[in-house]
Amino acid sequence: MNGLMLIARREITTQIRTRSFLIGLLVTAVLIAALSFLPKLMGGNDSYTLGTVNSQQLPLKQAAPDVEFEWRSFPDEGVAKQAVLDGDVDAVLVDNAKVLTDGEIDSQLGVLMQSVNREVKLGGAGVSIAPLQMQSVGADTRYQAARTGIAVILTVLLFMLVLGQAVMVAMGVVEEKGSRIVEILLSTVRPWQLLGGKILGLGVLGLINLLTVVVVGLGAAAMSGMFPDLPPGMPGLIAAVLVWFVLGYAFFATLAAALGSLVSRQEEVNTVLTPLTMLIMATYFVAFYVTNDPTGTVATVLSHIPPFSSMIMPVRMAAAEVPMWQVGVSMVAMVLAVVAMLAFGAKVYQRAVLRTGARLKLGDVLRAK
């Protein structure tokens, strides 16, 4: 066990000091922060500054409680026009009859002022119209847009992290094998310790990336005012995503290490990893489909089948409510798949990592004693 932790510590300290890791971490944080502010920037104004000339302030707040309105009073229309042109106000209501704007009025503001003005005039004439009562008989859809957005981001994030870290594991195995460093390392540690330490160390780096995204994303959502729009149960979802990432990474990284041990040159890594890449890509495309249909038959079935479940189940959990028994069954199946892959990967790695030269065939390695 000491050997495993020693190898893991070596992988962490070596990679975390590289410029590429630090730059990648910074770029990821900036992109996630930008994505967190994007809905706010594209969602229209959430505050308006309005003016009046010989007019009463319209009760716009009643129609749009989430929007802030600041009112200013002007002595005459000339002063009000100049304020509009200077950008001091978005619009000015004159004599309760017309609205001054610089160009076309904001669509949201225009609809609000027209509808509220109509209600005020009807009320002044003694006409009272009861508003329609809105009653939903289906599932609560208040957070559906946020759920779908989180699911899409989660799909891309898990795909990039799992694929990137798995390729790093394979590249590390090939580098050590090609340079014969592995022979020196195996003189002091056992093969399973070397393999496990590499997977563990690079997995910690993947978790650092994932936690950075979570922290930056939540912080940016709080700063942009989007935090209240997030669905309830976010702490549980974050914890589940971390667990599913660990399981998915353990499965694919072990497979990557086993396939990487079959070759001795970096040029051959992409070719030998083709089955792994295709499997991860297939999982990614299905997970992306699931973001729009999280309760469908395809999503339900494949979220219980390893290794698809490592990406599909957390995406389903983000996009919709998933029964806990389904999550439990899926997680048990994935744990069993990881254990089987660890046994398979350790066998292939132990038998192939010291055999240099031409590319080895997986069947020959498995048949070797």
Side-chain angles (χ1 to χ4, degrees), residues 125-150:
V127 180
S128 178
I129 302 176
L132 295 174
Q133 295 183 2
M134 303 298 177
Q135 181 179 357
S136 174
V137 295
D140 188 356
T141 58
R142 288 177 297 172
Y143 302 104
Q144 191 55 52
R147 284 185 175 275
T148 302
I150 293 173

Side-chain angles (χ1 to χ4, degrees), residues 193-334:
Q193 291 176 325
L194 180 57
L195 175 61
K198 182 174 292 295
I199 294 174
L200 177 60
L202 294 178
V204 170
L205 296 179
L207 277 176
I208 291 175
N209 277 285
L210 183 56
L211 287 172
T212 299
V213 169
V214 171
V215 172
V216 172
L218 292 178
M223 294 175 61
S224 64
M226 298 293 294
F227 199 82
D229 297 330
L230 297 179
M234 286 299 295
L237 176 61
I238 292 172
V241 168
L242 294 176
V243 173
W244 282 111
F245 167 75
V246 170
L247 292 175
Y249 165 76
F251 182 94
F252 289 113
T254 304
L255 179 58
L259 296 175
S261 66
L262 300 177
V263 298
S264 302
R265 297 186 304 168
Q266 297 284 353
E267 296 81 4
E268 298 176 303
V269 174
N270 289 334
T271 303
V272 79
L273 289 183
T274 298
L276 170 74
T277 305
M278 292 179 64
L279 182 58
I280 295 179
M281 289 293 294
T283 304
Y284 167 71
F285 287 129
V286 175
F288 211 93
Y289 167 79
V290 168
T291 60
N292 293 315
D293 189 18
T295 58
T297 302
V298 174
T300 303
V301 172
L302 290 183
S303 65
H304 292 82
I305 300 178
F308 297 97
S309 56
S310 64
M311 191 178 299
I312 296 175
M313 182 55 81
V315 170
R316 278 192 67 201
M317 294 174 67
E321 296 290 340
V322 180
M324 288 305 299
W325 70 266
Q326 292 189 14
V327 178
V329 171
S330 178
M331 190 167 292
V332 169
M334 189 63 200

Side-chain angles (χ1 to χ4, degrees), residues 157-186:
L157 181 62
L158 289 177
F159 166 72
M160 293 178 61
L161 285 178
V162 170
L163 179 61
Q165 297 304 117
V167 170
M168 285 183 64
V169 171
M171 296 289 286
V173 169
V174 176
E175 181 182 1
E176 291 174 352
K177 180 178 178 179
S179 62
R180 312 295 288 267
I181 294 178
V182 66
E183 299 176 9
I184 300 175
L185 294 173
L186 289 180

